Amino acid sequence: GRNSAWGGRFAAGPDALMLRINASIDFDRRLFREDIAGSVAHCRMLVAQRILTEADGKAILNGLDKILREIEDGRLEIDPAKEDIHMHVEARLRELIGAPAGRLHTARSRNDQVATDLRLWLRAAIDRQDEGLAALQAALVDQAERHAETVMPGFTHLQSAQPVTFGHHMLAYAEMIGRDRGRFADARRRLNECPLGAAALAGTSFPVDREMTARELGFARPMANSLDAVSDRDFVLEYLAAGAILAMHLSRLAEEVVIWSSAQFRFLNPGDAFTTGSSIMPQKRNPDAAELLRAKAGRVIGALNALLVVMKGLPLAYGKDMQEDKEPLFDAADTLETCIAVAAGIVGDLMPNADRLREAAGSGFATATDLADWLVRELGLPFREAHHVTGSLVRAAEERGCGLEDLPLEVFTGTDARIHDGVYQVLGIDNSVRSRTSLGGTAPDQVRRQAAQWRSRLEQD
Ligand code: ARG
Protein backbone atom coordinates (compact mmCIF):
# COMPACT_ATOMS: atom_id res chain seq x y z
CA GLY A 1 0.00 0.00 0.00
CA ARG A 2 0.95 3.67 -0.18
CA ASN A 3 3.09 5.14 2.55
CA SER A 4 0.96 6.72 5.25
CA ALA A 5 3.45 9.48 5.97
CA TRP A 6 4.12 10.75 2.46
CA GLY A 7 1.99 8.62 0.11
CA GLY A 8 -0.47 11.42 -0.75
CA ARG A 9 1.05 12.20 -4.11
CA PHE A 10 1.78 8.55 -4.96
CA ALA A 11 -0.42 6.21 -6.97
CA ALA A 12 1.19 2.96 -5.84
CA GLY A 13 3.35 1.58 -3.05
CA PRO A 14 7.11 1.18 -3.31
CA ASP A 15 8.96 -1.78 -4.75
CA ALA A 16 10.20 -4.31 -2.19
CA LEU A 17 13.75 -3.43 -3.18
CA MET A 18 13.01 0.20 -2.47
CA LEU A 19 12.14 -0.75 1.09
CA ARG A 20 15.32 -2.74 1.40
CA ILE A 21 17.62 0.09 0.36
CA ASN A 22 15.58 2.84 1.99
CA ALA A 23 14.71 1.51 5.42
CA SER A 24 17.06 2.43 8.25
CA ILE A 25 14.97 1.09 11.11
CA ASP A 26 17.26 -1.89 11.63
CA PHE A 27 20.03 0.41 12.78
CA ASP A 28 18.39 3.70 13.75
CA ARG A 29 16.02 2.05 16.20
CA ARG A 30 18.70 2.57 18.80
CA LEU A 31 17.93 6.30 18.61
CA PHE A 32 14.50 5.75 20.15
CA ARG A 33 15.26 7.44 23.46
CA GLU A 34 16.71 10.49 21.78
CA ASP A 35 13.91 10.57 19.22
CA ILE A 36 11.28 10.57 21.94
CA ALA A 37 13.18 13.13 24.02
CA GLY A 38 13.35 15.39 20.95
CA SER A 39 9.62 14.97 20.33
CA VAL A 40 8.81 15.73 23.95
CA ALA A 41 10.80 18.98 23.82
CA HIS A 42 9.27 19.92 20.47
CA CYS A 43 5.75 19.20 21.73
CA ARG A 44 6.21 21.26 24.90
CA MET A 45 7.50 24.14 22.84
CA LEU A 46 4.56 23.92 20.40
CA VAL A 47 2.17 24.12 23.35
CA ALA A 48 4.09 26.98 25.00
CA GLN A 49 3.93 28.88 21.71
CA ARG A 50 0.20 28.11 21.33
CA ILE A 51 0.85 26.26 18.08
CA LEU A 52 -0.67 23.18 19.73
CA THR A 53 -3.54 23.11 22.22
CA GLU A 54 -2.87 22.01 25.79
CA ALA A 55 -5.16 19.02 25.25
CA ASP A 56 -3.36 17.80 22.13
CA GLY A 57 -0.04 18.39 23.80
CA LYS A 58 -1.04 16.34 26.82
CA ALA A 59 -2.28 13.49 24.65
CA ILE A 60 0.97 13.50 22.67
CA LEU A 61 3.19 13.56 25.77
CA ASN A 62 1.26 10.71 27.37
CA GLY A 63 1.49 8.69 24.18
CA LEU A 64 5.23 9.33 23.83
CA ASP A 65 5.82 8.27 27.41
CA LYS A 66 3.94 5.03 26.78
CA ILE A 67 5.92 4.36 23.59
CA LEU A 68 9.19 4.94 25.43
CA ARG A 69 8.28 2.25 27.95
CA GLU A 70 7.06 -0.09 25.22
CA ILE A 71 10.30 0.13 23.32
CA GLU A 72 12.36 -0.19 26.50
CA ASP A 73 10.46 -3.41 27.17
CA GLY A 74 11.34 -4.65 23.68
CA ARG A 75 7.84 -4.25 22.31
CA LEU A 76 8.57 -2.24 19.16
CA GLU A 77 7.01 -3.86 16.10
CA ILE A 78 9.36 -3.39 13.19
CA ASP A 79 7.88 -2.67 9.78
CA PRO A 80 10.34 -1.76 7.02
CA ALA A 81 7.59 0.17 5.26
CA LYS A 82 7.81 2.65 8.12
CA GLU A 83 11.42 3.26 7.15
CA ASP A 84 12.94 4.66 10.29
CA ILE A 85 12.58 5.19 14.02
CA HIS A 86 10.91 8.58 13.54
CA MET A 87 8.09 7.04 11.47
CA HIS A 88 7.75 4.10 13.82
CA VAL A 89 7.26 6.34 16.82
CA GLU A 90 4.81 8.56 14.98
CA ALA A 91 2.81 5.61 13.62
CA ARG A 92 2.57 4.08 17.06
CA LEU A 93 1.52 7.42 18.48
CA ARG A 94 -1.32 7.53 15.96
CA GLU A 95 -2.41 4.04 17.03
CA LEU A 96 -2.39 5.13 20.65
CA ILE A 97 -3.92 8.62 20.55
CA GLY A 98 -5.41 9.01 17.09
CA ALA A 99 -5.65 12.32 15.26
CA PRO A 100 -3.54 14.58 17.57
CA ALA A 101 -0.53 12.42 16.67
CA GLY A 102 -0.49 14.06 13.28
CA ARG A 103 0.01 17.49 14.87
CA LEU A 104 3.36 16.64 16.49
CA HIS A 105 5.18 17.03 13.20
CA THR A 106 4.08 20.67 12.89
CA ALA A 107 7.08 22.94 12.27
CA ARG A 108 9.41 19.98 12.09
CA SER A 109 10.94 17.66 9.53
CA ARG A 110 12.70 14.37 9.85
CA ASN A 111 15.73 16.30 8.67
CA ASP A 112 16.07 18.44 11.77
CA GLN A 113 14.68 15.57 13.84
CA VAL A 114 17.35 13.06 12.86
CA ALA A 115 20.15 15.59 13.19
CA THR A 116 18.93 16.35 16.71
CA ASP A 117 18.59 12.68 17.63
CA LEU A 118 22.07 11.85 16.46
CA ARG A 119 23.65 14.76 18.31
CA LEU A 120 21.90 13.72 21.51
CA TRP A 121 22.99 10.14 21.04
CA LEU A 122 26.60 11.02 20.32
CA ARG A 123 26.79 13.45 23.23
CA ALA A 124 25.77 10.67 25.63
CA ALA A 125 28.11 8.19 23.94
CA ILE A 126 31.05 10.60 24.35
CA ASP A 127 30.23 11.02 28.05
CA ARG A 128 30.09 7.26 28.62
CA GLN A 129 33.28 6.80 26.68
CA ASP A 130 35.09 9.43 28.69
CA GLU A 131 34.55 7.41 31.84
CA GLY A 132 36.11 4.40 30.15
CA LEU A 133 39.08 6.48 29.06
CA ALA A 134 39.57 7.79 32.59
CA ALA A 135 39.58 4.20 33.85
CA LEU A 136 42.18 3.28 31.24
CA GLN A 137 44.35 6.18 32.37
CA ALA A 138 43.96 5.11 35.98
CA ALA A 139 45.18 1.61 35.04
CA LEU A 140 48.21 3.13 33.29
CA VAL A 141 48.98 5.35 36.28
CA ASP A 142 48.71 2.36 38.66
CA GLN A 143 51.29 0.50 36.62
CA ALA A 144 53.48 3.59 36.46
CA GLU A 145 53.51 3.89 40.24
CA ARG A 146 54.18 0.20 40.64
CA HIS A 147 57.00 0.24 38.13
CA ALA A 148 58.55 3.67 38.52
CA GLU A 149 61.93 1.95 39.03
CA THR A 150 61.57 -1.10 36.80
CA VAL A 151 64.23 -0.56 34.16
CA MET A 152 63.65 -1.69 30.60
CA PRO A 153 65.22 -0.93 27.26
CA GLY A 154 63.92 2.18 25.55
CA PHE A 155 63.83 1.82 21.79
CA THR A 156 64.27 3.89 18.71
CA HIS A 157 63.95 2.08 15.38
CA LEU A 158 63.01 -0.89 17.61
CA GLN A 159 66.75 -1.04 18.45
CA SER A 160 67.76 -0.72 22.10
CA ALA A 161 68.54 2.95 22.57
CA GLN A 162 68.69 4.02 26.23
CA PRO A 163 67.26 2.44 29.35
CA VAL A 164 63.94 3.81 30.56
CA THR A 165 61.52 2.62 33.20
CA PHE A 166 58.39 0.60 32.61
CA GLY A 167 56.41 3.20 34.52
CA HIS A 168 57.67 5.96 32.23
CA HIS A 169 56.55 3.92 29.24
CA MET A 170 53.07 3.49 30.73
CA LEU A 171 52.79 7.23 31.32
CA ALA A 172 53.53 7.94 27.66
CA TYR A 173 50.19 6.24 26.94
CA ALA A 174 48.46 8.15 29.73
CA GLU A 175 49.47 11.34 27.90
CA MET A 176 48.13 10.09 24.57
CA ILE A 177 44.82 9.11 26.13
CA GLY A 178 44.70 12.51 27.82
CA ARG A 179 44.92 14.21 24.42
CA ASP A 180 42.29 11.84 23.06
CA ARG A 181 39.93 12.86 25.86
CA GLY A 182 40.58 16.48 25.00
CA ARG A 183 39.71 15.87 21.36
CA PHE A 184 36.42 14.21 22.28
CA ALA A 185 35.63 17.02 24.70
CA ASP A 186 36.26 19.57 21.92
CA ALA A 187 34.02 17.65 19.55
CA ARG A 188 31.34 17.46 22.24
CA ARG A 189 31.46 21.20 22.79
CA ARG A 190 30.99 21.93 19.09
CA LEU A 191 28.24 19.36 18.56
CA ASN A 192 26.19 20.65 21.47
CA GLU A 193 23.92 22.92 19.41
CA CYS A 194 20.34 22.16 18.53
CA PRO A 195 19.13 21.70 14.93
CA LEU A 196 15.43 21.59 15.90
CA GLY A 197 13.42 24.32 14.23
CA ALA A 198 15.47 24.21 11.04
CA ALA A 199 12.63 22.00 9.77
CA ALA A 200 13.34 20.55 6.32
CA LEU A 201 15.98 23.14 5.41
CA ALA A 202 14.61 26.67 5.35
CA GLY A 203 13.24 27.14 8.85
CA THR A 204 9.53 27.41 9.49
CA SER A 205 6.75 30.00 9.30
CA PHE A 206 5.38 28.85 12.67
CA PRO A 207 6.42 30.99 15.64
CA VAL A 208 8.71 28.35 17.17
CA ASP A 209 10.95 29.03 20.15
CA ARG A 210 14.25 27.44 19.22
CA GLU A 211 15.91 28.65 22.41
CA MET A 212 13.38 26.67 24.40
CA THR A 213 13.86 23.34 22.61
CA ALA A 214 17.62 23.79 22.74
CA ARG A 215 17.45 24.43 26.47
CA GLU A 216 15.07 21.52 27.16
CA LEU A 217 17.45 19.12 25.46
CA GLY A 218 20.54 20.43 27.24
CA PHE A 219 22.05 22.05 24.15
CA ALA A 220 24.08 25.22 24.60
CA ARG A 221 22.12 27.05 21.88
CA PRO A 222 20.19 26.52 18.64
CA MET A 223 22.25 26.09 15.48
CA ALA A 224 22.52 29.42 13.72
CA ASN A 225 21.75 28.44 10.11
CA SER A 226 18.89 26.16 9.14
CA LEU A 227 20.60 24.85 5.99
CA ASP A 228 23.70 24.00 7.97
CA ALA A 229 21.64 22.49 10.79
CA VAL A 230 20.18 19.76 8.58
CA SER A 231 23.19 19.13 6.36
CA ASP A 232 26.11 19.19 8.79
CA ARG A 233 27.65 15.89 9.76
CA ASP A 234 30.96 17.40 10.89
CA PHE A 235 30.03 16.39 14.39
CA VAL A 236 30.05 12.72 13.44
CA LEU A 237 33.25 13.13 11.45
CA GLU A 238 34.98 14.87 14.34
CA TYR A 239 34.04 12.05 16.64
CA LEU A 240 35.26 9.48 14.13
CA ALA A 241 38.49 11.39 13.53
CA ALA A 242 39.20 11.57 17.26
CA GLY A 243 38.15 7.93 17.47
CA ALA A 244 40.54 6.94 14.69
CA ILE A 245 43.41 8.61 16.53
CA LEU A 246 42.41 6.90 19.78
CA ALA A 247 42.16 3.54 18.01
CA MET A 248 45.61 4.15 16.54
CA HIS A 249 46.99 4.78 20.04
CA LEU A 250 45.39 1.63 21.36
CA SER A 251 46.83 -0.33 18.45
CA ARG A 252 50.34 0.84 19.30
CA LEU A 253 49.89 -0.21 22.91
CA ALA A 254 48.45 -3.51 21.73
CA GLU A 255 51.34 -4.09 19.35
CA GLU A 256 53.83 -3.57 22.16
CA VAL A 257 51.98 -6.09 24.30
CA VAL A 258 52.07 -8.56 21.41
CA ILE A 259 55.81 -8.12 20.84
CA TRP A 260 56.66 -8.09 24.54
CA SER A 261 54.71 -11.30 25.05
CA SER A 262 56.71 -13.21 22.46
CA ALA A 263 59.20 -15.88 23.55
CA GLN A 264 61.93 -13.81 21.91
CA PHE A 265 61.24 -10.76 24.09
CA ARG A 266 59.71 -12.26 27.26
CA PHE A 267 59.24 -8.72 28.64
CA LEU A 268 55.88 -9.72 30.07
CA ASN A 269 54.93 -12.67 32.20
CA PRO A 270 51.85 -14.16 30.64
CA GLY A 271 48.53 -13.52 32.33
CA ASP A 272 45.46 -15.67 31.87
CA ALA A 273 42.66 -13.17 31.44
CA PHE A 274 43.45 -11.82 27.99
CA THR A 275 45.26 -14.70 26.31
CA THR A 276 44.21 -17.99 24.80
CA GLY A 277 45.85 -21.35 24.31
CA SER A 278 46.27 -23.24 21.07
CA SER A 279 44.23 -26.33 20.32
CA ILE A 280 47.20 -27.96 18.59
CA MET A 281 50.36 -26.50 20.17
CA PRO A 282 50.18 -27.04 23.93
CA GLN A 283 53.09 -24.70 24.67
CA LYS A 284 51.35 -21.69 23.16
CA ARG A 285 49.78 -18.74 24.84
CA ASN A 286 48.49 -16.22 22.36
CA PRO A 287 47.83 -12.55 23.05
CA ASP A 288 44.51 -12.61 21.18
CA ALA A 289 42.93 -9.67 22.97
CA ALA A 290 45.91 -7.44 22.17
CA GLU A 291 45.94 -8.62 18.56
CA LEU A 292 42.26 -7.76 18.18
CA LEU A 293 42.83 -4.41 19.83
CA ARG A 294 45.53 -3.83 17.22
CA ALA A 295 43.17 -4.85 14.43
CA LYS A 296 40.09 -2.91 15.50
CA ALA A 297 41.81 0.33 14.51
CA GLY A 298 41.16 -0.74 10.94
CA ARG A 299 37.43 -0.68 11.53
CA VAL A 300 37.36 2.72 13.16
CA ILE A 301 39.63 4.29 10.57
CA GLY A 302 37.41 2.66 7.94
CA ALA A 303 34.32 4.27 9.47
CA LEU A 304 35.94 7.71 9.24
CA ASN A 305 36.85 7.09 5.62
CA ALA A 306 33.41 5.78 4.78
CA LEU A 307 31.62 8.86 6.06
CA LEU A 308 34.13 11.32 4.59
CA VAL A 309 33.52 9.75 1.20
CA VAL A 310 29.73 9.85 1.68
CA MET A 311 29.80 13.54 2.61
CA LYS A 312 32.35 14.69 0.07
CA GLY A 313 30.70 16.65 -2.72
CA LEU A 314 27.16 16.44 -1.26
CA PRO A 315 25.23 19.56 -2.19
CA LEU A 316 23.27 21.37 0.53
CA ALA A 317 21.06 20.73 2.32
CA TYR A 318 19.83 17.28 3.38
CA GLY A 319 20.41 14.31 1.06
CA LYS A 320 19.39 10.75 1.78
CA ASP A 321 23.05 9.87 1.46
CA MET A 322 23.35 11.22 4.97
CA GLN A 323 21.36 8.30 6.35
CA GLU A 324 24.63 6.41 5.78
CA ASP A 325 26.18 8.28 8.69
CA LYS A 326 24.70 5.97 11.30
CA GLU A 327 26.13 2.54 10.70
CA PRO A 328 29.76 3.69 10.64
CA LEU A 329 29.16 5.84 13.72
CA PHE A 330 27.44 3.12 15.72
CA ASP A 331 29.98 0.51 14.71
CA ALA A 332 32.90 2.77 15.58
CA ALA A 333 31.37 3.82 18.92
CA ASP A 334 30.60 0.21 19.88
CA THR A 335 34.04 -0.90 18.80
CA LEU A 336 35.73 1.86 20.78
CA GLU A 337 33.68 1.15 23.88
CA THR A 338 34.86 -2.45 23.85
CA CYS A 339 38.44 -1.57 22.95
CA ILE A 340 38.78 0.99 25.74
CA ALA A 341 37.53 -1.47 28.34
CA VAL A 342 39.74 -4.26 26.98
CA ALA A 343 42.77 -1.96 26.92
CA ALA A 344 42.16 -1.07 30.57
CA GLY A 345 41.89 -4.78 31.38
CA ILE A 346 45.07 -5.65 29.52
CA VAL A 347 47.02 -2.80 31.13
CA GLY A 348 45.76 -3.74 34.58
CA ASP A 349 46.94 -7.30 34.01
CA LEU A 350 50.42 -6.50 32.70
CA MET A 351 53.10 -8.31 34.66
CA PRO A 352 56.49 -7.03 33.55
CA ASN A 353 59.29 -9.58 33.83
CA ALA A 354 61.70 -7.35 35.74
CA ASP A 355 64.75 -9.64 35.46
CA ARG A 356 64.39 -10.05 31.76
CA LEU A 357 63.74 -6.33 31.26
CA ARG A 358 66.88 -5.50 33.22
CA GLU A 359 68.92 -7.97 31.22
CA ALA A 360 67.58 -6.56 27.96
CA ALA A 361 68.15 -2.98 29.13
CA GLY A 362 71.82 -3.74 29.74
CA SER A 363 72.45 -5.29 26.35
CA GLY A 364 73.36 -3.34 23.28
CA PHE A 365 75.61 -0.85 25.14
CA ALA A 366 72.58 1.05 26.33
CA THR A 367 74.71 3.41 28.42
CA ALA A 368 76.96 4.55 25.58
CA THR A 369 75.23 7.93 25.52
CA ASP A 370 75.86 8.29 29.25
CA LEU A 371 79.54 7.62 28.64
CA ALA A 372 79.71 10.23 25.90
CA ASP A 373 77.89 12.75 28.09
CA TRP A 374 80.36 12.03 30.94
CA LEU A 375 83.32 12.69 28.64
CA VAL A 376 81.78 16.04 27.74
CA ARG A 377 80.92 16.95 31.31
CA GLU A 378 84.06 15.66 33.12
CA LEU A 379 86.77 16.10 30.51
CA GLY A 380 85.35 18.93 28.46
CA LEU A 381 85.50 17.00 25.19
CA PRO A 382 83.40 18.35 22.35
CA PHE A 383 80.41 16.02 21.93
CA ARG A 384 81.55 14.88 18.48
CA GLU A 385 84.89 13.77 19.89
CA ALA A 386 83.22 12.16 22.89
CA HIS A 387 80.99 10.26 20.46
CA HIS A 388 84.10 9.01 18.65
CA VAL A 389 85.91 7.95 21.84
CA THR A 390 82.79 6.17 23.06
CA GLY A 391 82.46 4.39 19.74
CA SER A 392 85.95 2.90 20.06
CA LEU A 393 85.22 1.83 23.66
CA VAL A 394 82.01 0.12 22.48
CA ARG A 395 84.11 -1.70 19.87
CA ALA A 396 86.59 -2.76 22.57
CA ALA A 397 83.75 -4.12 24.73
CA GLU A 398 82.25 -5.88 21.77
CA GLU A 399 85.59 -7.58 21.01
CA ARG A 400 85.85 -8.78 24.61
CA GLY A 401 82.21 -9.83 24.69
CA CYS A 402 81.44 -7.73 27.75
CA GLY A 403 79.51 -4.61 28.71
CA LEU A 404 81.01 -1.12 28.94
CA GLU A 405 80.84 -1.29 32.72
CA ASP A 406 83.01 -4.47 32.65
CA LEU A 407 85.93 -2.92 30.76
CA PRO A 408 89.09 -2.55 32.90
CA LEU A 409 90.21 1.02 33.54
CA GLU A 410 93.35 0.49 31.36
CA VAL A 411 91.12 0.12 28.33
CA PHE A 412 89.49 3.47 29.11
CA THR A 413 92.80 5.22 29.79
CA GLY A 414 94.30 3.58 26.74
CA THR A 415 91.68 5.34 24.64
CA ASP A 416 91.94 8.66 26.44
CA ALA A 417 94.48 9.06 29.26
CA ARG A 418 92.29 11.58 31.12
CA ILE A 419 89.52 9.08 31.87
CA HIS A 420 89.41 8.10 35.57
CA ASP A 421 87.47 5.56 37.58
CA GLY A 422 84.60 8.00 38.19
CA VAL A 423 83.40 6.86 34.79
CA TYR A 424 81.94 3.67 36.24
CA GLN A 425 79.29 5.68 38.05
CA VAL A 426 77.49 6.48 34.83
CA LEU A 427 77.79 3.09 33.20
CA GLY A 428 75.20 0.98 35.04
CA ILE A 429 71.63 1.10 33.75
CA ASP A 430 70.28 2.19 37.13
CA ASN A 431 72.70 5.12 37.13
CA SER A 432 71.66 5.93 33.61
CA VAL A 433 67.96 5.95 34.44
CA ARG A 434 68.46 7.89 37.69
CA SER A 435 70.39 10.58 35.87
CA ARG A 436 67.52 11.43 33.48
CA THR A 437 66.04 13.95 35.89
CA SER A 438 65.01 16.53 33.32
CA LEU A 439 61.31 17.41 33.34
CA GLY A 440 59.38 14.58 31.75
CA GLY A 441 62.44 12.33 31.84
CA THR A 442 62.66 8.69 32.87
CA ALA A 443 64.28 9.09 36.33
CA PRO A 444 62.10 7.31 38.92
CA ASP A 445 61.52 10.57 40.78
CA GLN A 446 60.26 12.20 37.61
CA VAL A 447 58.05 9.22 36.84
CA ARG A 448 56.55 9.34 40.32
CA ARG A 449 55.93 13.05 39.94
CA GLN A 450 54.22 12.59 36.57
CA ALA A 451 52.13 9.74 37.98
CA ALA A 452 51.10 11.82 40.98
CA GLN A 453 50.04 14.66 38.69
CA TRP A 454 47.87 12.30 36.65
CA ARG A 455 46.47 10.78 39.80
CA SER A 456 45.25 14.13 41.09
CA ARG A 457 43.89 15.17 37.68
CA LEU A 458 41.96 11.92 37.47
CA GLU A 459 40.56 12.43 40.95
CA GLN A 460 39.37 15.92 40.01
CA ASP A 461 37.53 14.66 36.89
N1 ARG B 1 16.16 8.06 8.15
C1 ARG B 1 16.53 9.35 7.69
C2 ARG B 1 18.01 9.59 7.98
O1 ARG B 1 18.56 8.87 8.73
C3 ARG B 1 15.74 10.38 8.37
C4 ARG B 1 15.61 11.65 7.60
C5 ARG B 1 14.77 11.43 6.41
N2 ARG B 1 14.43 12.64 5.77
C6 ARG B 1 13.90 12.64 4.58
N3 ARG B 1 13.64 13.77 4.06
N4 ARG B 1 13.68 11.54 3.89
O2 ARG B 1 18.64 10.46 7.45
Side-chain angles (χ1 to χ4, degrees):
R2 292 182 300 160
N3 187 291
S4 64
W6 42 255
R9 80 184 298 290
F10 284 69
D15 193 282
L17 277 173
M18 177 57 198
L19 297 186
R20 202 205 287 177
I21 193 168
N22 200 39
S24 54
I25 184 62
D26 283 342
F27 48 85
D28 66 19
R29 54 187 299 177
R30 67 193 284 176
L31 296 174
F32 74 91
R33 275 195 193 83
E34 291 74 19
D35 196 65
I36 291 173
S39 288
V40 166
H42 183 64
C43 177
R44 289 207 184 111
M45 182 278 291
L46 291 178
V47 172
Q49 295 298 100
R50 305 188 183 287
I51 302 167
L52 267 193
T53 64
E54 295 268 354
D56 282 347
K58 192 167 273 178
I60 290 169
L61 292 178
N62 284 338
L64 289 172
D65 188 52
K66 192 144 185 244
I67 296 170
L68 178 62
R69 277 178 285 122
E70 283 179 2
I71 303 181
E72 274 173 346
D73 294 346
R75 285 184 288 131
L76 174 70
E77 264 177 52
I78 298 290
D79 171 9
K82 288 183 204 135
E83 286 188 39
D84 54 28
I85 186 63
H86 327 296
M87 303 281 232
H88 276 76
V89 171
E90 191 181 321
R92 182 66 185 136
L93 190 63
R94 181 164 299 111
E95 282 171 14
L96 290 174
I97 68 167
R103 298 187 188 280
L104 172 60
H105 214 53
T106 312
R108 187 176 75 171
S109 155
R110 278 187 292 158
N111 297 349
D112 58 343
Q113 193 178 356
V114 73
T116 304
D117 291 6
L118 203 57
R119 281 169 194 266
L120 288 173
W121 185 89
L122 186 51
R123 191 177 70 186
I126 289 173
D127 291 344
R128 275 197 311 277
Q129 184 185 278
D130 190 60
E131 285 176 32
L133 289 171
L136 170 55
Q137 285 186 304
L140 290 162
V141 172
D142 282 348
Q143 289 286 17
E145 283 169 346
R146 213 170 297 147
H147 295 289
E149 307 208 14
T150 307
V151 290
M152 67 176 283
F155 296 94
T156 58
H157 315 269
L158 197 58
Q159 310 285 322
S160 291
Q162 295 171 8
V164 296
T165 73
F166 192 85
H168 193 216
H169 203 110
M170 292 293 106
L171 288 179
Y173 284 101
E175 294 289 333
M176 293 176 230
I177 302 301
R179 289 192 297 276
D180 290 324
R181 292 178 68 191
R183 273 182 281 271
F184 289 114
D186 287 347
R188 187 198 192 284
R189 208 172 309 121
R190 265 186 298 277
L191 75 73
N192 201 26
E193 295 186 344
C194 189
L196 270 188
L201 75 165
T204 172
S205 56
F206 289 97
V208 294
D209 181 352
R210 296 194 59 210
E211 301 284 349
M212 176 179 169
T213 38
R215 205 176 330 113
E216 289 248 334
L217 294 168
F219 287 112
R221 64 193 75 85
M223 290 186 77
N225 180 299
S226 65
L227 292 168
D228 181 48
V230 295
S231 61
D232 164 46
R233 292 296 180 273
D234 295 4
F235 69 100
V236 182
L237 289 167
E238 280 195 55
Y239 170 80
L240 292 175
I245 296 174
L246 164 63
M248 173 277 289
H249 287 152
L250 297 181
S251 82
R252 297 180 77 172
L253 172 65
E255 166 66 357
E256 298 203 304
V257 171
V258 171
I259 300 182
W260 293 351
S261 302
S262 71
Q264 287 70 23
F265 270 75
R266 288 187 295 109
F267 281 10
L268 296 173
N269 293 320
D272 288 337
F274 293 96
T275 57
T276 64
S278 159
S279 53
I280 179 165
M281 297 165 283
Q283 85 283 11
K284 291 269 279 190
R285 196 198 284 261
N286 299 321
D288 298 50
E291 293 172 84
L292 286 165
L293 198 56
R294 186 173 62 182
K296 296 285 187 193
R299 265 173 101 133
V300 180
I301 294 164
L304 171 61
N305 264 302
L307 187 58
L308 278 172
V309 176
V310 167
M311 295 306 295
K312 181 216 161 283
L314 262 196
L316 305 189
Y318 178 83
K320 193 67 174 239
D321 313 52
M322 288 158 64
Q323 178 167 287
E324 287 292 312
D325 58 359
K326 288 171 207 63
E327 285 168 290
L329 172 60
F330 293 154
D331 187 69
D334 291 346
T335 301
L336 287 172
E337 187 183 341
T338 303
C339 287
I340 293 163
V342 167
I346 289 177
V347 168
D349 262 20
L350 290 178
M351 289 179 290
N353 178 349
D355 294 341
R356 170 65 194 136
L357 285 169
R358 168 171 293 278
E359 176 192 46
S363 70
F365 307 106
T367 55
T369 314
D370 300 86
L371 175 53
D373 288 349
W374 185 87
L375 294 171
V376 169
R377 215 169 41 237
E378 290 290 313
L379 307 185
L381 296 192
F383 185 79
R384 283 291 158 223
E385 196 183 325
H387 187 286
H388 188 80
V389 170
T390 304
S392 59
L393 286 164
V394 166
R395 181 150 38 80
E398 211 163 32
E399 278 160 12
R400 290 165 177 252
C402 69
L404 285 169
E405 66 277 22
D406 306 315
L407 287 174
L409 190 59
E410 307 89 80
V411 176
F412 286 102
T413 50
T415 310
D416 186 306
R418 291 168 294 171
I419 301 179
H420 55 82
D421 63 0
V423 73
Y424 290 103
Q425 276 167 28
V426 297
L427 292 180
I429 51 178
D430 291 299
N431 290 329
S432 167
V433 160
R434 262 199 298 275
S435 72
R436 299 300 198 272
T437 53
S438 57
L439 190 143
T442 203
D445 285 346
Q446 271 298 327
V447 172
R448 284 196 199 90
R449 184 171 313 169
Q450 294 166 44
Q453 271 163 8
W454 271 117
R455 173 83 55 212
S456 68
R457 277 158 77 177
L458 290 172
E459 272 157 17
Q460 279 158 28
D461 272 353

